[in-house]
């Protein structure tokens, strides 16, 4: 059994997505230095996604949307069909 997904991990993943969007906007509109923020946000999201955004039963990758949906309603893994429970 793999480590389960926690609310803290989901919050970190969403923070990476929003900081990526903000840095991308600022890089196009204001200064090129924000491309470093884009790269950092993307790298952090890739690391979190590769290690923690996974089904707790089969260990295969699951989308951030499905994992977030599992916070408030019943959601099942696309691969094994088991119910995903967020701790």
């Amino acid at each position: 059994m793999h480590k389960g997904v926690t609310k803290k991990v989901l919050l970190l993943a969403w923070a990476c997505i929003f900081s990526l969007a903000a840095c991308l906007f600022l890089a196009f509109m204001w200064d090129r230095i924000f491309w470093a923020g884009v790269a950092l946000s993307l790298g952090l999201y890739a690391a979190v996604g590769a290690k923690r955004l996974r089904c707790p039963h089969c260990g295969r990758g699951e989308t951030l949307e499905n994992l977030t949906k599992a916070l408030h309603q019943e959601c099942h893994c696309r691969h094994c069909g088991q119910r995903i429970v967020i701790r």
Side-chain angles (χ1 to χ4, degrees), residues 4-79:
V5 180
T6 62
K7 291 178 185 179
K8 192 175 184 179
V9 170
L10 290 177
L11 185 62
L12 176 63
W14 279 110
C16 290
I17 295 294
F18 285 120
S19 67
L20 173 81
C23 288
L24 193 61
F25 176 76
L26 290 171
F28 278 120
M29 293 298 179
W30 196 28
D31 196 7
R32 294 184 304 196
I33 192 69
F34 289 104
W35 284 108
V38 170
L40 185 66
S41 299
L42 187 59
L44 184 59
Y45 178 76
V48 168
K51 292 189 184 237
R52 297 300 302 268
L53 297 181
R54 300 190 164 277
C55 171
H57 304 286
C58 66
R60 298 199 50 198
E62 192 60 54
T63 64
L64 183 58
E65 179 185 4
N66 284 346
L67 292 172
T68 304
K69 193 186 321 179
L71 279 171
H72 302 291
Q73 62 187 10
E74 189 172 310
C75 188
H76 298 276
C77 175
R78 296 176 295 146
H79 307 289

